[in-house]
Amino acid sequence: MNEFELIDFFFKSIPHDRSDVVFGIGDDAACLQIPAQTQLLVSSDTLVADVHFLSSWDAYDIACKAVMVNVSDIAAMGGSPCWLTLALTLPDYNQQWLQRFAQGLTDSLSRFNIALIGGDTTRGPLSVTLTIHGLVPANKAIRRSGAKVGDKIYVSGPLGAAAQAVVFLSRTDIDADDLHCLNQKLMHPNPRVDLAPVLQQFATAAIDISDGFSADLAHICDASQVGANLNLAKIPVHPLVENYQGNNAIEFALSGGDDYELCFTVSSADEKEFLHALELAGLTCYQIGIIEATPGLRARQLTGEVTPLDVKGYSHF
Ligand code: ADP
Ligand code: MG
């Protein structure tokens, strides 16, 4: 199979149900119909073999993870994901691998009603770059820079499970059910697009938790020129992280990456209405701290003492 047959067979054939794709794969560029009164969100993420995933992973899982981390960036902006391009670099032609990869793409894209509209296919060390496009009502995109002194800090779900899964990647002595649950969190994160309508209305700033909670909250603080004070007793730690990390569990939840929950801020004046909207939507989020004027991150320890918090998270350089 040559490059063009490969594209047609594995990628052009992936179905979608979007009438706003005027045309997709097959021309020099795709053409999309953007509705009036909406704005376009664009974001790219690269996943490199043996950095973001193991080469030994099922290609189905690699495709799902690549889609989910990209969808998560659109979720963090309060948008809805619509279109995707795929720049794929492959070491060789492996039909079985491509079939599993295309199946992972098909399933994860249909879950969010996203169309694959183009890409690029090259030979080289295995890597997957997706560019996702989403829509948001005009001027409703949530930025990192909007947090104000007195805003409450929220997180959308339990933290630490993906980092725990990474620790267990080479272990063979872990309970199979626990390992399966943790690996699901690592390979199939659940991007929080379900929060978009509520966040559009109430969030003053938001970010998705990819590098590690404290590092990502620090990005909000830097962009907003504020600081944060957390209450460690309120941090939602994944129960398996509690089990395996014991006293270290909170530390783990604060610095572990790859959770793809959202961290966001809500003004105190809007908090009651926000909580009501969440409840109506059947969603739960956790209030874990408050924005303060003094730069930097602080945390109330379980002992009641407030101490500076080290910002730890993943950085490629
Ligand atoms: P060009 O050389 O003009 O950039 P290509 O030959 O690279 O075009 O691609 C042909 C068509 O196939 C384009 O529409 C491109 O977007 C699409 N395409 C290429 N690789 C992929 C891929 N991995 N997934 C989806 N579409 C792809
Ligand atoms: Mg061209």
Side-chain angles (χ1 to χ4, degrees):
M1 216 182 251
N2 70 30
E3 178 189 324
F4 307 104
E5 289 164 340
L6 183 159
I7 294 164
D8 279 0
F9 187 78
F10 291 103
F11 299 123
K12 198 174 178 182
S13 60
I14 294 179
H16 69 80
D17 197 18
R18 297 194 67 94
S19 55
D20 50 15
V21 179
V22 184
F23 47 83
I25 296 173
D27 278 273
D28 288 309
C31 180
L32 308 165
Q33 188 67 48
I34 316 260
Q37 305 306 319
T38 62
Q39 289 170 336
L40 183 64
L41 301 166
V42 184
S43 172
S44 287
D45 261 304
T46 295
L47 275 72
V48 176
D50 301 316
V51 176
H52 299 92
F53 61 86
L54 300 180
S55 313
S56 58
W57 280 15
D58 184 347
Y60 183 95
D61 295 327
I62 297 170
C64 290
K65 172 129 189 173
V67 171
M68 297 311 161
V69 306
N70 276 272
V71 171
S72 178
D73 284 320
I74 299 296
M77 302 298 292
S80 63
C82 302
W83 311 293
L84 189 82
T85 60
L86 161 66
L88 182 61
T89 304
L90 298 170
D92 48 28
Y93 174 76
N94 177 335
Q95 183 174 348
Q96 209 188 343
W97 192 97
L98 276 161
Q99 243 150 15
R100 291 294 293 158
F101 187 81
Q103 191 60 53
L105 274 184
T106 304
D107 292 352
S108 47
L109 295 182
S110 76
R111 183 174 150 202
F112 293 101
N113 191 25
I114 300 169
L116 180 65
I117 52 153
D120 196 24
T121 307
T122 52
R123 188 190 288 261
L126 178 60
S127 89
V128 181
T129 298
L130 300 187
T131 298
I132 193 156
H133 306 71
L135 290 174
V136 66
N139 306 319
K140 288 288 184 186
I142 306 152
R143 304 190 61 187
R144 298 177 178 185
S145 54
K148 298 274 186 300
V149 174
D151 285 0
K152 300 292 179 62
I153 303 167
Y154 277 82
V155 67
S156 62
L159 303 177
Q164 185 64 64
V166 170
V167 170
F168 285 167
L169 278 176
S170 54
R171 293 271 294 269
T172 52
D173 55 334
I174 307 299
D175 176 83
D177 290 341
D178 290 358
L179 205 55
H180 178 74
C181 174
L182 292 169
N183 280 336
Q184 282 296 111
K185 291 280 180 186
L186 180 64
M187 295 176 186
H188 299 272
N190 180 30
R192 300 305 306 270
V193 283
D194 53 343
L195 281 164
V198 183
L199 294 190
Q200 272 173 27
Q201 203 182 345
F202 294 103
T204 52
I207 193 167
D208 70 328
I209 303 172
S210 53
D211 298 334
F213 173 74
S214 60
D216 289 318
L217 175 58
H219 291 316
I220 287 188
C221 290
D222 290 345
S224 302
Q225 295 186 291
V226 293
N229 195 342
L230 302 175
N231 183 346
L232 293 195
K234 291 189 175 180
I235 304 281
V237 181
H238 192 279
L240 286 174
V241 178
E242 300 265 17
N243 283 359
Y244 286 104
Q245 292 294 328
N247 289 338
N248 200 27
I250 289 181
E251 174 62 31
F252 215 80
L254 289 175
S255 58
D258 265 6
D259 283 313
Y260 299 101
E261 293 292 343
L262 300 180
C263 173
F264 57 93
T265 53
V266 175
S267 94
S268 292
D270 289 345
E271 197 176 21
K272 223 175 135 186
E273 222 188 316
F274 160 69
L275 289 172
H276 185 61
L278 263 192
E279 199 184 329
L280 282 181
L283 301 168
T284 307
C285 291
Y286 305 83
Q287 198 267 101
I288 55 167
I290 189 160
I291 295 291
E292 295 178 341
T294 311
L297 266 53
R298 294 160 289 287
R300 177 184 292 273
Q301 304 293 320
L302 302 181
T303 56
E305 194 190 357
V306 176
T307 59
L309 194 71
D310 275 345
V311 174
K312 285 187 213 142
Y314 192 79
S315 167
H316 287 274
F317 296 99

